[in-house]
Amino acid sequence: GDSVTQMEGPVTLSEEAFLTINCTYTATGYPSLFWYVQYPGEGLQLLLKATKADDKGSNKGFEATYRKETTSFHLEKGSVQVSDSAVYFCALSYGSSNTGKLIFGQGTTLQVKP
Amino acid sequence: SAVISQKPSRDICQRGTSLTIQCQVDSQVTMMFWYRQQPGQSLTLIATANQGSEATYESGFVIDKFPISRPNLTFSTLTVSNLSPEDSSIYLCSAQARLNTDTQYFGPGTRLTVL
């Protein structure tokens, strides 16, 4: 079945460092791909998404490109801030279109130190 | 966008009892979902809450254990029945505002501990 695999955390970086969180997926068909973020004490928020191959999602300085050939959707940011400390979830949509069903990776905790 | 609240935010329950979690959305939404996040694990979809009809359950989840109601377009409840320690998890409600969109909004979650 469909699945999502993320790199294990926690990831600890210094402020202004470059961030990569790896995400690979297995899917039949052509899912949409997402990154969600969960800040401490808050609910999940959609960070960015891509709906087809070679699409790049971007938001708040974060980017991820839908790579069908490598079945990947790695999250990157050029310069992280302390406020980026959170748990990041990669996810894909599955089932027929507009079902809204999501499969999540296990989450990666990011800690940014000043 | 949609703002989602859940009650309670956390609870500690005894084995064999039940807990009902409420999910309230600040606007009418087309689809609502319930997820479970077990300790140290990913989010898993339990069911789609259908307005005015029975929920649609994912493989491994059954109505007797996780009865769901959705009486209108802004509200849903999830009951976790006959609790066991294995039910200790965070339960999250989410909503999709419109059809033909992938965007889901999530509630803050309910942390359940079963003793």
Side-chain angles (χ1 to χ4, degrees), chain B residues 48-69:
Chain B
T48 302
N50 300 309
Q51 193 266 325
S53 64
E54 194 171 284
T56 305
Y57 291 85
E58 297 301 304
S59 176
F61 297 96
V62 295
I63 188 171
D64 289 347
K65 177 68 175 177
F66 298 100
I68 288 170
S69 77

Side-chain angles (χ1 to χ4, degrees), chain A residues 32 34 36 38 41-46 49 51 89-90 93-94 98-107, chain B residues 31 33 35 37 40-45 48 56 58 92 96 99-109:
Chain A
S32 294
F34 308 84
Y36 280 84
Q38 186 171 34
E42 299 184 18
L44 269 74
Q45 302 174 25
L46 179 64
K49 69 178 186 181
T51 57
F89 293 90
C90 185
S93 61
Y94 75 105
N98 298 320
T99 63
K101 298 180 181 181
L102 297 175
I103 294 176
F104 286 85
Q106 66 268 40
Chain B
M31 304 181 80
F33 307 91
Y35 288 84
Q37 186 177 19
Q41 299 197 23
S42 179
L43 284 79
T44 302
L45 179 64
T48 302
T56 305
E58 297 301 304
L92 298 106
Q96 182 170 309
L99 289 176
N100 300 315
T101 175
D102 296 302
T103 302
Q104 278 191 38
Y105 302 94
F106 282 82

